[in-house]
């Protein structure tokens, strides 16, 4: 059956659709805030060794040793030519930037590896969480999983704000990442909305919600100047979503595939009442719930991750989309996290980065139904790749040019990052859609685990991270051309409806 055709009497942009778009877009604000929070809470400020006896016994900024105090006390203490470790700890730059986990636990010099590790651990949590929530939401429903994850994130962020050690911070950072709910919001909205409003939701509205969270981050960091309070704000943003439980319905597509026809009909009838349009006497026939049965035998079954490789078409889509997603996410988060390394004001840099994202979402929305999906995806990554290659031609001391080009290159990566989720959502069938998106997003966040360490190589050669990001971007562009176009296509419901890749 064609769900979009059966429910077409609702229209495209009634009060019901507008409410769904607004509320699910707001649900991504915590994800946008949280995704880049390490830019501020894990920032390494200028540091130097604390003085011991002689006030002049301090290292130069950024070094991990100091001159030893001469033991000849007859003529007063002095400095020898020998050095020693920073035995008395470190002094950090002025406190106008507030406290970070680096200043809290002295994560510099031999402990500097703990900074990118904690960030990678967060993204590792995101990867695991997306993988888990895909199976959970396909089994127990989109709506309960979305709100459980929001609640877990809020509680975890609050507890993390009172962390007493770096280890405690890291454990909670992983759990906070595992409660990432962005993909569930996209799936739920895509299944609730008809095609016209679905494209606007997936390419513009939900992305703008994410971007609002991203923009709130530098504003909060500027006024609060402390990593603990930034986490408290993150928790509050999640808790504010809880009342929308009574306004956001479950996916009727998912209910139909569970055989819960009456519940699916009730949601559509309520939507018709909201939109003030008459509903047919019978919306879904009982036979239309049989899609939760096996496609061949007709027996009732539960779908699992092995179904993502059951046929040639879905196996090719799963492998190809996961590979592309990993490349895109690696580049997007690499360039976003690089905000703290750019010259100039970190708060403005982060805000400008979010502004670029907003502009990208608008352009993407305008092109989404006018350009083939694979061509638009590939063009975005090719643009990003070649822009990053130009950075190699810029002298490393020209910080302004490097800064501008890195932000401009993010334009393409942002577009592709947004678009890949829409494409995979439209390619995967309803029976395994959340699992399919979950596997793709999980693969994507493998790249984010590596990204902080790639940025760390910039201390040896400033352009090296950009060269790596450029190479990966161009590879993703070539892979993207193999995906089938999903424009003007209904969402597939069964595995046999999955499109083949283009050879």
């Amino acid at each position: 059956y064609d769900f979009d055709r059966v429910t077409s009497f609702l229209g495209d942009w009634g009060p019901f659709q507008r409410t769904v778009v607004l509320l699910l877009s707001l649900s991504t604000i915590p994800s946008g805030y949280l995704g880049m929070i390490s830019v501020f809470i894990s920032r390494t400020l200028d540091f130097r060794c604390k003085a011991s006896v002689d006030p002049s016994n301090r290292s130069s900024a950024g070094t991990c040793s100091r001159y030893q105090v001469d033991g000849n006390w007859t003529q007063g203490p002095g400095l020898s030519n020998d050095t020693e470790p920073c035995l008395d700890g470190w002094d950090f730059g002025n406190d106008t930037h507030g406290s970070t986990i680096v200043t809290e636990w002295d994560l510099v010099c031999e402990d500097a590896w703990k900074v990118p590790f904690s960030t990678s651990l967060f993204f590792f949590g995101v990867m695991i969480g997306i993988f888990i929530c895909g199976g959970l939401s396909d089994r127990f429903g989109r709506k309960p999983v979305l709100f459980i994850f929001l609640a877990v994130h809020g509680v975890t962020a609050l507890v993390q704000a009172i962390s007493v050690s770096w280890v405690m911070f890291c454990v909670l950072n992983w759990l906070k990442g595992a409660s990432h709910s962005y993909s569930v919001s996209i799936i739920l909205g895509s299944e609730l909305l008809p095609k016209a409003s679905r494209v606007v939701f997936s390419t513009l509205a939900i992305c703008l919600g994410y971007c609002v969270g991203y923009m709130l981050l530098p504003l909060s960091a500027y006024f609060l100047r402390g990593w603990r309070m930034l986490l408290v704000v993150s928790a509050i943003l999640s808790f504010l979503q809880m009342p929308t439980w009574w306004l956001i319905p479950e996916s009727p597509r998912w209910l139909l595939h569970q055989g819960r026809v009456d519940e699916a009909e009730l949601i559509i009838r309520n939507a018709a009442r909201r939109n003030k349009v008459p509903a047919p006497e019978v919306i879904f026939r009982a036979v239309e719930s049989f899609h939760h049965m096996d496609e061949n035998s007709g027996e009732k079954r539960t779908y699992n991750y092995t179904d993502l490789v059951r046929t040639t078409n879905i196996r090719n889509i799963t492998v190809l989309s996961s590979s592309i997603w990993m490349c895109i996410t690696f580049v997007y988060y690499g360039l976003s996290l690089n905000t703290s390394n750019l010259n100039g004001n970190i708060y403005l840099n982060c805000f400008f980065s979010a502004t670029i994202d907003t502009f990208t979402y608008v352009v993407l929305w305008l092109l989404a139904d006018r350009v083939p999906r694979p061509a638009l995806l590939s063009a975005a990554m090719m643009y990003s790749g070649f822009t990053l290659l130009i950075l190699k031609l810029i002298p490393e001391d020209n910080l302004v040019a490097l800064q501008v080009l890195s932000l401009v290159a993010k334009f393409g990566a942002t577009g592709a990052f947004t678009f890949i989720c829409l494409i995979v959502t439209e390619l995967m069938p309803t029976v395994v859609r959340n699992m399919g998106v979950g596997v793709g997003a999980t693969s994507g966040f493998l790249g984010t685990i590596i990204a902080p360490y790639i940025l760390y190589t910039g201390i040896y050669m400033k352009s090296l991270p950009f060269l790596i990001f450029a190479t990966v971007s161009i590879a993703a562009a070539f892979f993207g051309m193999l995906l089938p176009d999903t424009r003007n296509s209904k969402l597939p419901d069964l595995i046999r409806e999955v499109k083949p890749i283009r050879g």
Side-chain angles (χ1 to χ4, degrees):
Y1 75 102
D2 188 336
F3 181 90
D4 289 337
R5 179 185 58 79
V6 171
T7 59
S8 61
F9 65 89
L10 291 175
D12 291 329
W13 277 112
F16 172 76
Q17 288 89 354
R18 292 197 296 269
T19 300
V20 168
V21 168
L22 175 63
L23 295 181
L24 287 178
S25 298
L26 292 176
S27 74
T28 63
I29 290 178
S31 296
Y33 185 94
L34 186 64
M36 300 303 165
I37 198 170
S38 62
V39 169
F40 294 99
I41 70 174
S42 301
R43 188 185 182 204
T44 300
L45 305 178
D46 291 337
F47 64 93
R48 63 176 72 235
C49 288
K50 282 185 178 178
S52 56
V53 178
D54 190 330
S56 64
N57 183 20
R58 300 170 67 179
S59 65
S60 58
T63 58
C64 299
S65 61
R66 67 186 182 189
Y67 291 111
Q68 289 182 338
V69 177
D70 195 324
N72 182 5
W73 291 91
T74 58
Q75 298 178 356
L79 300 181
S80 71
N81 291 325
D82 297 325
T83 59
E84 63 182 4
C86 297
L87 303 176
D88 301 298
W90 288 267
D91 285 324
F92 290 90
N94 63 59
D95 59 2
T96 58
H97 296 295
S99 62
T100 70
I101 64 169
V102 177
T103 63
E104 185 84 18
W105 294 300
D106 290 341
L107 305 183
V108 294
C109 298
E110 66 270 13
D111 288 328
W113 63 272
K114 293 180 178 180
V115 179
F117 178 81
S118 63
T119 303
S120 293
L121 203 59
F122 165 76
F123 288 120
F124 179 70
V126 174
M127 181 184 71
I128 298 299
I130 288 177
F131 185 80
I132 293 173
C133 82
L136 290 176
S137 58
D138 279 338
R139 190 177 184 88
F140 301 107
R142 287 38 168 151
K143 179 179 173 179
V145 171
L146 170 62
F147 283 91
I148 288 172
F149 273 50
L150 283 169
V152 170
H153 165 256
V155 173
T156 303
L158 276 182
V159 177
Q160 191 183 29
I162 57 173
S163 295
V164 296
S165 69
W166 176 77
V167 173
M168 178 181 176
F169 175 87
C170 284
V171 171
L172 292 168
N173 219 32
W174 178 87
L175 184 57
K176 189 176 62 178
S179 61
H180 197 272
S181 59
Y182 184 78
S183 62
V184 188
S185 298
I186 294 179
I187 296 297
L188 180 55
S190 297
E191 293 183 349
L192 277 168
L193 299 168
K195 179 182 175 296
S197 48
R198 182 170 66 238
V199 173
V200 176
F201 168 75
S202 300
T203 60
L204 181 63
I206 199 167
C207 301
L208 290 179
Y210 182 93
C211 209
V212 168
Y214 193 177
M215 287 179 168
L216 285 175
L217 176 62
L219 293 175
S220 300
Y222 180 80
F223 289 106
L224 297 177
R225 306 292 176 103
W227 67 273
R228 295 182 188 273
M229 286 306 300
L230 289 179
L231 290 171
V232 172
V233 172
S234 176
I236 292 173
L237 291 175
S238 287
F239 291 139
L240 287 175
Q241 310 302 320
M242 294 297 107
T244 63
W245 167 273
W246 289 274
L247 300 174
I248 298 175
E250 179 57 273
S251 164
R253 289 178 184 266
W254 179 82
L255 290 170
L256 285 174
H257 286 280
Q258 301 299 309
R260 295 157 64 176
V261 181
D262 292 342
E263 293 176 61
E265 274 215 9
L266 180 60
I267 290 173
I268 299 302
R269 292 192 184 281
N270 287 336
R273 193 176 303 112
R274 290 285 309 279
N275 287 356
K276 298 181 179 179
V277 296
E281 185 176 344
V282 177
I283 301 175
F284 303 114
R285 299 188 307 275
V287 70
E288 291 173 340
S289 71
F290 288 172
H291 291 301
H292 70 298
M293 306 293 188
D294 184 86
E295 297 174 29
N296 298 315
S297 67
E299 297 179 359
K300 187 172 182 178
R301 60 161 296 183
T302 299
Y303 288 86
N304 55 50
Y305 285 100
T306 61
D307 291 295
L308 294 174
V309 293
R310 181 147 65 98
T311 66
T312 300
N313 285 350
I314 197 169
R315 181 168 55 249
N316 289 342
I317 293 297
T318 299
V319 173
L320 186 59
S321 62
S322 297
S323 301
I324 297 170
W325 207 323
M326 181 169 63
C327 295
I328 292 172
T329 309
F330 170 71
V331 176
Y332 172 77
Y333 275 98
L335 294 176
S336 297
L337 293 173
N338 189 54
T339 301
S340 61
N341 297 327
L342 297 177
N343 187 41
N345 187 295
I346 185 174
Y347 306 103
L348 288 178
N349 287 342
C350 189
F351 190 82
F352 288 152
S353 181
T355 303
I356 289 174
D357 284 3
T358 303
F359 177 70
T360 304
Y361 300 145
V362 175
V363 172
L364 192 68
W365 167 60
L366 293 174
L367 297 176
D369 280 334
R370 295 175 173 82
V371 180
R373 305 273 207 262
L376 189 56
L377 178 72
S378 297
M381 289 309 290
M382 192 67 73
Y383 165 84
S384 186
F386 279 113
T387 304
L388 289 169
L389 285 177
I390 295 175
L391 286 170
K392 179 61 179 174
L393 306 177
I394 305 297
E396 294 193 355
D397 59 349
N398 193 339
L399 298 178
V400 174
L402 291 173
Q403 177 177 338
V404 171
L405 279 176
S406 63
L407 289 174
V408 169
K410 188 171 176 282
F411 180 88
T414 299
F417 178 72
T418 303
F419 215 51
I420 186 62
C421 193
L422 170 65
I423 292 176
V424 177
T425 298
E426 293 180 338
L427 286 173
M428 288 292 174
T430 301
V431 291
V432 291
R433 181 169 292 119
N434 231 317
M435 285 186 280
V437 173
V439 167
T442 299
S443 302
F445 279 96
L446 280 173
T448 62
I449 294 172
I450 305 169
Y453 292 98
I454 298 300
L455 292 175
Y456 192 68
T457 65
I459 64 175
Y460 305 106
M461 176 181 169
K462 287 188 179 297
S463 61
L464 181 58
F466 300 121
L467 290 176
I468 297 174
F469 293 144
T471 303
V472 174
S473 295
I474 294 171
F478 283 112
F479 290 144
M481 292 302 298
L482 299 176
L483 292 172
D485 190 11
T486 55
R487 283 186 308 160
N488 304 316
S489 300
K490 78 177 188 72
L491 288 179
D493 290 302
L494 306 176
I495 290 177
R496 65 169 178 261
E497 297 173 2
V498 175
K499 295 183 177 182
I501 64 172
R502 299 191 293 181

